[in-house]
Amino acid sequence: DVYKRQRLNLAKACITDVGLALLGAGDLPIVQLCIRKCEKVTDKGIKSLFHADRKICKTLSVLDVGYIPKITDAAPLQLLLRH
């Protein structure tokens, strides 16, 4: 089912922490999300993407955060420990 296998590639996009928060608040069943090289994203944006009990928390299985200078190891690690 295509609806269940949503992939979103935002690599090199000018998305910000606010944009990730809005994406997370949406109702899209995103399974794979690539924000590689999105230089405006910080740990705060990663955390806000998965705030509370959002749909993306249940559907996302792949998150590519490679080459983002403002993200520390803490944000992805917190996500792993949370789920």
Side-chain angles (χ1 to χ4, degrees), residues 18-35:
V18 173
L20 284 183
L22 292 171
L23 180 65
D27 195 36
L28 295 173
I30 299 171
V31 175
Q32 296 180 0
L33 176 60
C34 177
I35 55 171

Side-chain angles (χ1 to χ4, degrees), residues 5-7 10 18 24 27 29 42 45 49 51 57-58 61 64 71-72 75-76:
R5 288 175 283 196
Q6 294 292 330
R7 296 178 187 168
L10 296 174
V18 173
D27 195 36
T42 69
L49 182 63
H51 185 263
C57 294
K58 297 174 184 138
S61 62
D64 184 347
I71 288 184
T72 66

Side-chain angles (χ1 to χ4, degrees), residues 9-16 35-41:
N9 185 352
L10 296 174
K12 298 182 185 178
C14 287
I15 194 165
T16 63
I35 55 171
R36 177 177 285 265
K37 296 185 180 181
C38 291
E39 296 179 353
K40 295 183 179 187
V41 172

